[in-house]
Amino acid sequence: MIQAIDLAVEFDRLQGSLFEGVHLSLRRSDKVALVGPNGCGKSTLLLTLCGEIRPSQGHVQVAHSCRIARLSQDLEMHTELDVTPAMLKALHRLGSSCEIAYQDPRTLSPGERMRMALAALLAEEPDLLLLDEPTNHLDLSGREWLQSFLRSCREGVLAVTHDRSFADAFADRTLELSNGCLRDYAGGYSDMLEQKEERQAQERDAYERQKQDVRRLKFAAEKTLQ
């Protein structure tokens, strides 16, 4: 559905690339969490995938029929919305009263504003939802509702999050962006931690074996010279 090939974004040549060499493939109905430290480029990657930022290197391929909708961190960007039959249908799908569509957005709770914003996106009938920190400002019940919806919805989902339990609840893949590189793990956040620990253990073992090989070769060379 969407592929990023050798992707890099650089805003300042002196500071170098925010990330580079990123390869990413998203298929229809994938449920993917994107995690990483603050400032590593997660939001920038979302904007690059949907074409709002032009990469410094590489390119993004989007299937001709693929429709992408992006939810910003700032829900205030989603308050000026036109109420349409498709949006009301989406609100019903989200389990929300259609009455909130006619209320002053300033009177809505963060959870209601989230549902309004999601309804507006779903009304576009997208194939892929790009969500930037969707659990920000949501209470526990709001997070539980959102993770349940994302897990079962027919759309593909790529969601930036710092909420480990949220990622565990909805994601079947976890992408970690760190130190300019992207790694892909099967499962949620907890699964990612287990796989990282296994990989690091394997790398330590490989390093120890390499040191032993060097010592053996050195010993063999010294013995030959005697």
Side-chain angles (χ1 to χ4, degrees):
M1 187 164 59
I2 183 171
Q3 281 191 318
I5 301 171
D6 196 26
L7 210 61
V9 170
E10 178 184 87
F11 294 126
D12 188 327
R13 290 186 178 180
L14 294 177
Q15 294 184 357
S17 297
L18 188 58
F19 53 78
E20 59 185 357
V22 166
H23 293 268
L24 167 62
S25 178
L26 295 173
R27 299 159 298 183
R28 195 176 304 275
S29 78
D30 273 356
K31 312 298 182 184
V32 185
L34 176 58
V35 303
N38 288 332
C40 69
K42 299 185 297 296
S43 297
T44 299
L45 180 56
L46 287 195
L47 291 168
T48 307
L49 292 175
C50 66
E52 296 185 43
I53 287 180
R54 185 174 179 177
S56 310
Q57 175 183 306
H59 61 282
V60 177
Q61 293 180 343
V62 181
H64 178 69
S65 61
C66 179
R67 291 163 295 186
I68 301 174
R70 184 179 67 87
L71 181 73
S72 169
Q73 285 190 40
D74 183 7
L75 289 181
E76 297 301 321
M77 294 179 60
H78 302 278
T79 55
E80 299 297 327
L81 302 173
D82 294 326
V83 179
T84 65
M87 184 176 173
L88 295 178
K89 182 179 179 181
L91 275 173
H92 179 73
R93 179 184 167 196
L94 296 174
S96 183
S97 169
C98 294
E99 294 178 359
I100 67 171
Y102 301 100
Q103 294 181 27
D104 184 336
R106 292 171 296 182
T107 67
L108 299 178
S109 69
E112 289 171 329
R113 288 201 298 272
M114 168 64 71
R115 294 194 192 202
M116 282 284 291
L118 265 178
L121 297 185
L122 294 174
E124 301 173 16
E125 298 185 347
D127 300 294
L128 176 64
L129 293 169
L130 301 181
L131 311 178
D132 198 351
E133 296 286 3
T135 58
N136 277 2
H137 313 301
L138 294 183
D139 59 16
L140 178 60
S141 62
R143 289 197 300 273
E144 290 176 345
W145 164 81
L146 181 60
Q147 65 198 28
S148 176
F149 171 77
L150 295 181
R151 185 65 188 171
S152 61
C153 72
R154 58 180 174 265
E155 293 81 10
V157 178
L158 174 59
V160 172
T161 184
H162 286 95
D163 188 329
R164 299 182 179 188
S165 61
F166 174 69
D168 277 340
F170 92 90
D172 51 35
R173 287 169 59 199
T174 299
L175 303 176
E176 183 185 38
L177 186 60
S178 181
N179 297 320
C181 299
L182 187 73
R183 288 185 180 270
D184 195 335
Y185 299 89
Y189 194 95
S190 297
D191 298 308
M192 180 195 75
L193 293 180
E194 290 180 5
Q195 292 168 59
K196 284 180 67 175
E197 186 174 336
E198 290 174 2
R199 189 191 77 243
Q200 290 166 356
Q202 291 171 357
E203 290 173 349
R204 287 193 298 269
D205 290 343
Y207 176 69
E208 289 301 322
R209 287 195 300 271
Q210 184 182 41
K211 287 201 309 183
Q212 291 174 8
D213 289 342
V214 169
R215 285 196 294 266
R216 281 196 296 268
L217 287 172
K218 183 178 179 181
F219 176 77
E222 291 174 348
K223 191 172 183 180
T224 301
L225 293 174
Q226 291 177 356

